[in-house]
Amino acid sequence: MDLFEQAAIQDFHLRAPLAERMRPRNLDEFIGQTHLVGPGKFIRRAIETGNLPSLVFWGPPGSGKTTLARLIAHATHAAFEPISAVSAGVRELRETVVKAQERWRFHRQLTLLFVDEIHRFNKAQQDALLPYVENGTLILLGATTENPSFEINAALLSRLRVVSLYALDEEQLRFLLSQALQSERGFGGKLQADEDALTLIAQNAYGDARQALTLLEMCSFHAEGNIGVKTVEEAMQQNSFLYDKHGEEHYNVVSAFIKSMRGSDPDAAVYWMARMLESGEEPRFVARRMLIFASEDVGNAEPRGLLVAVAAMQAVEMLGMPECRLPLTQAVTFLAMAPKSNTAISTYDSAKSSIQRYGPLPVPLHLRNAPTQLMKSMGYAAGYQYPHNFSGHYVVENYLPEGLRGERFFFPSENGEERAVQARYAQLQKLKQPKEPGENG
């Protein structure tokens, strides 16, 4: 290494972001993921034995996916070829394959292909990797924040081993921050921080090592030798919550939101809703989920639930953020505390199942409309009984197709207002029962 190369490296350490400068140089410096890199654990064993398979690192942002891939390449003396699934195409993949084949042919060196955001590869790109992963031309290391079983096709996934990485806990983040303050690659002991300040940074990083180091670096611009809580608060212009509106965490939070309302827990329901809204989720999306919930999980046990949900949707359109948070909170707490019934969805599913089983049965003649003389001559509308002509505005009539007479789809619950519906339904069903001989009509 000549003087110019040394100067370039030194310049990098001075100018690169703190998170980049603090990347661990070996597995012993790697913080977190001890279930993978600890003594005797899978990654260490794979490196030590030389039996490294193709892998997919699945974990949240800042958990060390890219860093771990680089460390594996360094430890195995493999050539490291990083590409991003966002920008790379099939042509770039083929070029990488050619280089990998040449390395092995002339130098017996393995190539480790690291694909960041591998979930963004389309089917053609994933299929292009298949033969080279299978024959060992490449060792593939993919990184994704998405569930691989949803985003990677089965053929490629069957040739990979999925390993999960987890968000760093508060203690691990505090240790990382302390290292950055003392390390020559960081601040070299020239900057101090109060314990409460480090705790506040760690809490606001939400398990993301990169975010924690970035926030510490921001604090250094505001501090004069020491970082206190006030310095951290000044550096944090806006909280960044772990919530990807298009990723798996989106569906996790939505699921928790729905299940909390279904479980009649207004505190949890409001918490998850606030997580969505404060992270930039479109309030219309939240309102739509409550509209569905009002019928699917509340229904006629509390008929006003649907009215409240509709009103909340209208309020969102009229007010927008931040004011619409209030009607949304009113609606979510109402729905969470309402008596529950899933009769709407169970009734529809039963009817749908009958249609699938028997097909589109013909409409009974007496229920058909008869706007022409021809239709009347064919028996359309013949014998139809108009309920309002009878006492109680009800008359026993057959409304289902032939073959489904007596079939039942609707089973109202005993919860809330639906108890009265159940009693009314039972009363009408009783009227349909054939009368015993001698029984008064």
Side-chain angles (χ1 to χ4, degrees):
M1 183 182 296
D2 60 26
L3 293 176
F4 292 105
E5 290 174 323
Q6 291 178 344
I9 292 174
Q10 185 176 7
D11 184 59
F12 165 78
H13 285 302
L14 291 174
R15 298 171 62 87
L18 178 63
E20 185 64 33
R21 303 199 309 266
M22 289 301 299
R23 280 191 188 275
R25 295 162 295 190
N26 52 60
L27 289 178
D28 293 330
E29 292 184 358
F30 191 79
I31 296 174
Q33 319 310 331
T34 54
H35 64 293
L36 296 175
V37 302
K41 299 302 182 181
F42 169 65
I43 295 295
R44 280 192 184 269
R45 289 201 318 271
I47 292 173
E48 291 166 359
T49 59
N51 293 318
L52 181 70
S54 289
L55 304 170
V56 174
F57 296 135
W58 174 28
S63 55
K65 299 184 291 296
T66 302
T67 297
L68 187 54
R70 290 180 180 275
L71 294 178
I72 290 173
H74 178 74
T76 56
H77 306 290
F80 187 68
E81 291 279 357
I83 63 173
S84 172
V86 175
S87 57
V90 173
R91 182 174 61 84
E92 288 84 358
L93 291 176
R94 287 174 178 161
E95 290 174 353
T96 301
V97 168
V98 170
K99 289 191 289 185
Q101 291 171 330
E102 291 176 350
R103 283 193 195 98
W104 181 252
R105 185 182 303 118
F106 297 114
H107 307 290
R108 284 295 184 264
Q109 184 184 26
L110 289 171
T111 296
L112 194 157
L113 173 64
F114 176 68
V115 182
D116 196 18
E117 298 190 89
I118 192 172
H119 58 275
R120 296 186 183 273
F121 264 172
N122 59 36
K123 186 178 186 300
Q125 291 167 312
Q126 293 185 32
D127 287 345
L129 288 172
L130 274 175
Y132 308 111
V133 171
E134 191 166 24
N135 66 23
T137 300
L138 297 169
I139 295 177
L140 173 63
L141 295 187
T144 179
T145 57
E146 309 299 318
N147 190 324
S149 60
F150 297 149
E151 304 296 338
I152 300 177
N153 68 48
L156 181 58
L157 192 61
S158 67
R159 293 161 174 81
L160 305 173
R161 174 164 175 172
V162 178
V163 291
S164 297
L165 280 71
Y166 305 112
L168 276 64
D169 60 34
E170 188 176 312
E171 183 179 350
Q172 291 168 335
L173 289 174
R174 282 169 52 88
F175 180 75
L176 176 63
L177 294 168
S178 298
Q179 275 194 330
L181 289 171
Q182 300 303 318
S183 171
E184 290 299 324
R185 291 182 293 149
F187 296 102
K190 298 175 183 178
L191 182 66
Q192 305 298 319
D194 298 341
E195 290 298 315
D196 290 343
L198 293 181
T199 298
L200 185 58
I201 293 174
Q203 290 173 344
N204 280 272
Y206 301 99
D208 186 328
R210 186 186 306 107
Q211 188 164 315
L213 291 169
T214 299
L215 183 51
L216 178 65
E217 189 168 32
M218 290 172 60
C219 291
S220 70
F221 302 146
H222 298 267
E224 295 181 0
N226 187 75
I227 298 174
V229 169
K230 186 176 181 181
T231 310
V232 178
E233 291 173 345
E234 290 175 354
M236 291 189 305
Q237 296 183 7
Q238 184 177 2
N239 289 331
S240 298
F241 296 102
L242 177 58
Y243 180 78
D244 178 359
K245 288 192 289 183
H246 305 289
E248 188 198 0
E249 192 65 12
H250 162 81
Y251 298 102
N252 291 340
V253 173
V254 173
S255 177
F257 173 60
I258 297 299
K259 289 180 171 67
S260 298
M261 286 195 293
R262 184 178 295 141
S264 300
D265 189 332
D267 301 293
V270 170
Y271 169 80
W272 294 117
M273 184 182 74
R275 275 276 293 272
M276 289 188 281
L277 294 177
E278 292 301 315
S279 300
E281 181 61 80
E282 171 59 55
R284 292 185 186 88
F285 171 81
V286 179
R288 284 196 299 270
R289 296 307 307 175
M290 284 196 281
L291 271 174
I292 298 167
F293 180 89
S295 288
E296 181 179 352
D297 288 281
V298 175
N300 287 326
E302 175 46 275
R304 293 175 298 175
L306 184 57
L307 302 178
V308 170
V310 170
M313 173 66 85
Q314 292 173 338
V316 166
E317 298 293 341
M318 295 170 65
L319 298 175
M321 284 291 281
E323 289 83 359
C324 71
R325 294 175 301 177
L326 302 179
L328 286 176
T329 301
Q330 179 183 350
V332 73
T333 52
F334 184 93
L335 294 172
M337 291 305 298
K340 303 299 189 293
S341 170
N342 68 341
T343 303
I345 189 170
S346 63
T347 301
Y348 183 86
D349 286 348
S350 294
K352 175 183 174 183
S353 176
S354 181
I355 294 167
Q356 292 171 336
R357 187 165 66 250
Y358 298 108
L361 297 174
V363 177
L365 287 176
H366 70 284
L367 297 181
R368 300 185 187 189
N369 195 24
T372 69
Q373 190 59 43
L374 175 62
M375 290 178 172
K376 290 178 182 178
S377 68
M378 295 173 64
Y380 282 32
Y384 171 67
Q385 304 178 87
Y386 187 55
H388 297 295
N389 290 338
F390 295 84
S391 174
H393 298 258
Y394 175 78
V395 63
V396 174
E397 180 66 278
N398 292 316
Y399 294 104
L400 282 169
E402 196 69 39
L404 287 183
R405 298 289 170 82
E407 192 82 9
R408 184 173 176 183
F409 310 122
F410 181 50
F411 291 88
S413 73
E414 296 184 354
N415 288 344
E417 297 294 320
E418 211 163 74
R419 179 176 297 179
V421 176
Q422 185 190 65
R424 167 72 172 159
Y425 185 87
Q427 179 185 22
L428 296 178
Q429 291 297 106
K430 189 174 181 180
L431 292 175
K432 293 181 180 180
Q433 299 301 318
K435 294 180 174 62
E436 295 293 333
E439 185 177 351
N440 292 330

